[in-house]
Amino acid sequence: MITSQGSVKVCNASDVTPQQQEKDNSRNSKLIYLPGTDCVLKPQASLSAFTSYRVGGAAEWYVAPRNLAALQASIDYAKENNLPVTILGAGSNLLVSDHGIPGLVIATRHLRFKHFDPETGLLTVAAGESIPNLAWEAAGLGWQGLEWSVGIPGTVGGAVVMNAGAHNSCIADMLVSAQVLLPDGKVETLTPSELGYSYRTSLLQNLNAAGQSQAQRIVTQATFQLQPGADPEQVVANTKQHKQHRLSTQPYNYPSCGSVFRNPKPYSAGWLIEQSGLKGYQIGGAQVAQLHANFIVNRGGAKANDIFCLIRHIQHEVQERWSICLEPEVKMLGEFQAAC
């Protein structure tokens, strides 16, 4: 694709200051630098290092803004050049195609700030903040409410979008509001009721109440209601217990995306997969984890298509045996082969 340069300038990596430049993970030394921001648009940037599966092709264009103005400038550039936009947080719940992602991939992991208000118990954080780091910091302050989230390897933005949860708790239980950037550049604040939360999903996943696709809204920050004033040692101890439980019941020794499928109540997806005899089943470098069957791990050298085909195989086997269609929790980006 030939992209119009418009009001931007093309520069070599050496023209960008070290503070403005992230490690260039593409072979092309030509970068696009958005004037007035620290945004460097990189062509053909490999995404495998930015996903917890450690697989996936390249982004046609990649940018990692560090503030709201830079994020807005990135969106404007995509609109001016008719580029589709994909938002990437920690990449912990994603499967990126081996063919990569067309358009502009915007990584929000560098949108960082947090504010603990001890008078109200409100925690306001930017979309790029790490959920586990927040859990540990809150625990150290004696703030209760995030202990359950210490094992969720994602960012605030992704957690708000998918209503992340564990141990019978979820983001919707404590979210006060989420700030989102609209396609027209305006900022809007939404309440949990306006986000249409349900099990591991929300209206921010680009669907309205009727299940129809709608314009993308990007989470920029969120405010949570926590409970300050507890004994920090006790909150830290409780947080450690949650972390230890995750480590003892879920595989962390190989790259994975966490739980692959939503639990089809009253069953758990892991139980259905295990009872279908699929623990240890492997396609290429992708394997159904021995420790927890609702995890697919990259045993080394896996391709995104290996994981995709394993997901489809699991769905087929569970459907055949239990007449239950497992719904993926992992979000798949890019093109995948229809037949495996």
Side-chain angles (χ1 to χ4, degrees), residues 225-239:
Q225 181 66 66
L226 302 182
Q227 296 79 48
D231 178 7
E233 290 188 6
Q234 184 60 54
V235 184
V236 168
N238 291 339
T239 304

Side-chain angles (χ1 to χ4, degrees), residues 152-163:
I152 296 177
T155 59
V156 167
V160 169
V161 169
M162 70 167 291
N163 190 22

